[in-house]
Amino acid sequence: MAYAQTTTGSETAGYKAIGAGLAIGLAGIGGGIAVARTGAAGLSVLSEKPEAFGTVLLIVALGEGIAIYGLIIAILVIIIL
């Protein structure tokens, strides 16, 4: 006789952990790449125009936001799903 397989809480917890880890890891990598490129370009701009500091800071902060979004998604995956 064959029995239907049911998922237990421990199996879905593993999938949650994998999903949350991927969300944080991939968003962290993307945020790191964004900050590295915009930071390097921003330093070049600041060497020529020091008055553009606020704009450069804002653009670099937008790259950091990607990692924060990944953290929020990971928290939602663990709590809601």
Side-chain angles (χ1 to χ4, degrees), residues 3-4 13-14 16 18 20 24 28 33-34 38-39 41 43 47 53-54 60 64 68 70-71 76 80:
Y3 295 101
K16 283 184 187 181
I18 290 172
I24 291 175
I33 291 170
T38 57
L43 287 176
S47 67
F53 177 75
V60 173
E64 293 175 5
I68 295 171
L71 178 64
L76 289 175
I80 293 177

Side-chain angles (χ1 to χ4, degrees), residues 21-37:
L22 283 173
I24 291 175
L26 295 176
I29 290 171
I33 291 170
V35 169
R37 292 189 181 179

Side-chain angles (χ1 to χ4, degrees), residues 23 27 62 64-75:
L62 288 174
E64 293 175 5
I66 296 171
I68 295 171
Y69 294 145
L71 178 64
I72 292 170
I73 293 300
I75 291 170

